[in-house]
Amino acid sequence: MRKERPRNQAIGWLIIVGLACSGLLLLYKGLGGREALPVGIPEPLSLPDIPPADRPVKAMPQRPVQPGSGIFSADKPESTSGSDANAHCSGCDVILITVCSLRKDHLGAYGFPGDVSPSVDALAKSGVRFNRAYSASNFTLASLTAILTGRYGSATGVTGWDKGLTKDVPTLAEVLGNYGYRTGAFTTDAPSGFRPDYGLNRGFQHMEITNPPRNSPDGRFRGGAKEPLGTVTKPAVKWLNNQSSGDPVFMMLHTRTAHFPFVVDPPKEGEDPTGMRTLLWEAGQSDAEERQNRPMPGMAGGTAQEGVVEIVRQDPLQVRVNQLGTAATDVWKETYAESVARMDVDVAEILSAVAKRGRRTLIVLVADHGESLNDHGELLHGDAFFDGVINVPLIFSVPGLSGATGQRDMLVSQVDIVPTVLQLVGAVIPAGVDGVSLVPQLQGSPEPAHHLILSEGGVAKMEDGILPGAVISDPWVLIKQRRGCGMGMGHTKGAVDEGMPLCLFNHETDPGQNRSLAGLEQDVVADLLSRWKGYRTAHGRIGEHRELSDAFIQELQRSGYDFSKGAP
């Protein structure tokens, strides 16, 4: 076990106060505050070099990011403050469930016809589900960073696997810890970025990274009998059961049960004429057999690596799907739905533990991102920004909050989770967050939370500050990505920025994003692009560099990121 001492409490509060004072202007200039819905930020025609933060945190020499399991502890703050007793959920437990690669349209609560998600559906029935929630990125690390900080990738600098969170950006766990919360985080050893190497352990007094169980896609080659479904939640449930009922807790579980390659068993003879189940089962098998169990290394990062290698060839599985056609895509989707059903048991175990604990509990469930499932010619995620990947499920269950049931159709973002949770429990929202509290919307207000939100970053190496992403401002979705606009290019002639194609879709008339209007609506494209670049100019920073070990790159490859060579 590795001990890490948190900041002195008094220094922590001085930092928060300083951020509050210096960040007031940013609250009005940014994308978040309701007083700033017409985004009043500069609108340059081209993006200048984005400097680091005014007071950059000096990176210490550290080891490269490594895979591995371990338990990491930090002392709780020596002194804490009481939350606002008049807040609706003052003293409530807070449970945050983040689900890797979960598509919204594969949940019953969002219209999936099969009975694959009864636990998630029950949670949605007890609370509010948002239909137009967008992830802050198309891959896990950047999305989890946004979920835990309330800031877009440009504002934290975490837009690729080679970037980590700087120490001057407060996290949800840090803030809640200052209000007396016991904080715990749980996940499995896999390339999610939810580990100390990237700074996402900050504020968690207990972080536990366990080996993936045999009965999961990540652990399918571990050998031995398969464990019961939901085994991935056992450390989290045990920790929760051991916490005093007199102290509020903040617990976060990041589950990868629905992640590629979806399967936990090889296909039976004759089960799959397409051979796709066999390909999924065998994905990364040779690497997994060579891997040894290793203890989790210490903190890593602080090197000058510029990024993960550029993706220069198509995923071999994508090539096979293209060759086999619809039949192969159907099998791919079937295996994905099966993995969602297994993931639902994870949620059931957590909900059962919450009920057993018997305290008032605020529960948030959100996907870090979705999965393409061969929409627009992409099977997985990390490259494109179509809605199948970035329009994610977001569910709030708030005990006793008037009007907090049903569905909401306004535009919201992952960055709204931090301010919403903090307002509900009566904690001060840090200055500089991009999100806004959704409490009025939870209570039934039809007012928009945002007029514009962002999704940024990606898994491939990018040079010279070039950043792919999406700008969403109803009814428009502007996408900037290397792979172009999908199967139906539409009117895209001349729509390029920094060498990347620009795609523009009207969400109201083309929800499937099949026809880009970038060539016809050039004024809309210019306006949205300018507002995005203006935000980056006003708020942008460079995250702490992370060097990736060969072992971590191999783990990324086994998870579906098909890099053609190692790190530069």
Side-chain angles (χ1 to χ4, degrees):
M1 180 181 296
R2 185 170 179 265
K3 285 276 186 181
E4 292 181 1
R5 293 279 181 181
R7 299 187 189 87
N8 180 275
Q9 181 65 20
I11 294 175
W13 276 110
L14 286 175
I15 290 174
I16 291 176
V17 171
L19 288 171
C21 294
S22 63
L24 289 176
L25 179 60
L26 297 181
L27 285 174
Y28 288 94
K29 291 180 67 180
L31 300 180
R34 279 187 291 274
E35 296 298 324
L37 284 175
V39 179
I41 56 179
E43 298 187 354
L45 295 179
S46 61
L47 179 63
D49 294 334
I50 296 178
D54 292 339
R55 295 187 297 276
V57 178
K58 184 178 180 180
M60 299 300 291
Q62 296 166 338
R63 290 190 287 179
V65 177
Q66 294 274 1
S69 58
I71 297 176
F72 301 86
S73 299
D75 293 336
K76 65 178 182 179
E78 295 178 1
S79 61
T80 58
S81 299
S83 61
D84 181 358
N86 295 319
H88 172 77
C89 222
S90 179
C92 283
D93 285 352
V94 178
I95 304 295
L96 174 59
I97 304 172
T98 56
V99 184
C100 201
S101 306
L102 180 59
R103 272 183 76 118
K104 183 183 73 174
D105 61 6
H106 273 64
L107 296 171
Y110 286 92
F112 189 73
D115 185 22
V116 297
S117 55
S119 300
V120 175
D121 299 345
L123 181 66
K125 187 175 181 179
S126 72
V128 173
R129 69 181 187 275
F130 287 90
N131 294 327
R132 303 219 51 225
Y134 278 84
S135 62
S137 188
N138 61 5
F139 79 111
T140 303
L141 171 62
S143 291
L144 291 185
T145 303
I147 289 169
L148 287 171
T149 65
R151 306 184 188 210
Y152 293 121
S154 287
T156 64
V158 182
T159 55
W161 282 116
D162 62 317
K163 299 294 189 295
L165 186 64
T166 58
K167 295 180 180 179
D168 57 340
V169 178
T171 68
L172 179 59
E174 286 179 305
V175 175
L176 290 176
N178 285 332
Y179 284 89
Y181 275 75
R182 300 286 184 148
T183 57
F186 302 86
T187 191
T188 50
D189 175 22
S192 66
F194 190 37
R195 58 198 314 125
D197 303 66
Y198 287 103
L200 296 187
N201 64 314
R202 291 213 329 264
F204 287 110
Q205 298 148 23
H206 180 91
M207 175 176 249
E208 193 163 344
I209 303 174
T210 56
N211 290 319
R214 161 66 183 87
N215 201 10
S216 68
D218 289 323
R220 68 195 187 282
F221 297 134
R222 296 189 63 84
K226 290 191 299 182
E227 310 89 341
L229 292 175
T231 296
V232 69
T233 69
K234 280 189 174 181
V237 170
K238 179 180 179 181
W239 180 86
L240 187 62
N241 289 341
N242 288 338
Q243 301 309 303
S244 167
S245 61
D247 295 323
V249 302
F250 169 45
M251 189 184 80
M252 176 174 172
L253 171 73
H254 180 66
T255 170
R256 282 174 50 96
T257 305
H259 197 279
F260 173 87
F262 315 136
V263 299
V264 297
D265 290 304
K268 298 177 181 178
E269 185 176 355
E271 182 181 10
D272 175 28
T274 68
M276 287 306 302
R277 288 181 179 268
T278 299
L279 287 175
L280 288 167
W281 168 256
E282 294 176 348
Q285 184 172 16
S286 59
D287 291 328
E289 289 175 345
E290 295 173 1
R291 180 172 176 177
Q292 300 176 354
N293 289 327
R294 294 183 292 270
M296 180 75 176
M299 295 283 288
T303 64
Q305 179 176 333
E306 294 184 358
V308 178
V309 298
E310 183 179 2
I311 298 175
V312 296
R313 60 189 173 91
Q314 197 174 33
D315 187 333
L317 281 168
Q318 181 76 66
V319 173
R320 183 64 179 270
V321 168
N322 292 345
Q323 292 172 343
L324 296 177
T326 302
T329 301
D330 290 344
V331 173
W332 189 278
K333 293 180 177 180
E334 289 171 7
T335 60
Y336 176 72
E338 292 163 6
S339 72
V340 171
R342 288 189 292 270
M343 175 280 303
D344 190 73
V345 181
D346 297 345
V347 176
E349 293 294 320
I350 297 298
L351 297 183
S352 176
V354 168
K356 179 180 178 181
R357 180 166 163 81
R359 295 184 91 256
R360 296 179 71 219
T361 304
L362 163 61
I363 304 174
V364 183
L365 184 144
V366 64
D368 56 357
H369 54 75
E371 200 77 294
S372 284
L373 302 184
N374 212 32
D375 290 350
H376 306 95
E378 184 186 44
L379 280 175
L380 297 172
H381 63 270
D383 190 17
F385 287 84
F386 295 109
D387 265 12
V389 172
I390 66 170
N391 182 196
V392 295
L394 173 61
I395 298 169
F396 280 85
S397 178
V398 187
L401 184 64
S402 176
T405 57
Q407 60 181 324
R408 306 289 187 268
D409 293 321
M410 65 281 297
L411 196 62
V412 298
S413 169
Q414 289 174 337
V415 299
D416 299 328
I417 292 173
V418 165
T420 303
V421 168
L422 293 181
Q423 181 179 346
L424 285 168
V425 302
V428 175
I429 300 170
V433 299
D434 294 311
V436 299
S437 173
L438 300 178
V439 171
Q441 287 74 25
L442 289 172
Q443 293 180 302
S445 171
E447 292 300 313
H450 300 270
H451 281 174
L452 183 144
I453 60 175
L454 301 176
S455 185
E456 306 174 297
V459 302
K461 180 179 179 180
M462 288 294 162
E463 303 285 358
D464 302 324
I466 296 174
L467 189 66
V471 184
I472 304 97
S473 181
D474 282 340
W476 302 107
V477 178
L478 176 68
I479 299 175
K480 175 183 173 182
Q481 59 191 21
R482 295 169 311 152
R483 68 169 42 243
C485 304
M487 301 300 186
M489 294 293 289
H491 297 275
T492 59
K493 183 177 180 181
V496 175
D497 182 66
E498 296 179 319
M500 284 193 218
L502 295 170
C503 317
L504 182 70
F505 301 101
N506 187 311
H507 172 77
E508 295 176 354
T509 61
D510 182 21
Q513 298 179 324
N514 296 311
R515 184 172 182 265
S516 173
L517 301 175
L520 295 179
E521 300 285 353
Q522 296 182 22
D523 289 344
V524 174
V525 171
D527 175 63
L528 295 180
L529 193 63
S530 178
R531 292 163 75 185
W532 180 19
K533 291 181 176 182
Y535 173 82
R536 294 186 65 200
T537 300
H539 299 266
R541 69 164 62 205
I542 297 175
E544 287 189 345
H545 287 287
R546 294 294 187 267
E547 182 178 353
L548 308 185
S549 67
D550 289 343
F552 193 73
I553 290 176
Q554 290 168 8
E555 193 168 68
L556 288 168
Q557 290 172 326
R558 290 195 297 273
S559 290
Y561 302 111
D562 182 37
F563 307 124
S564 59
K565 56 183 179 179

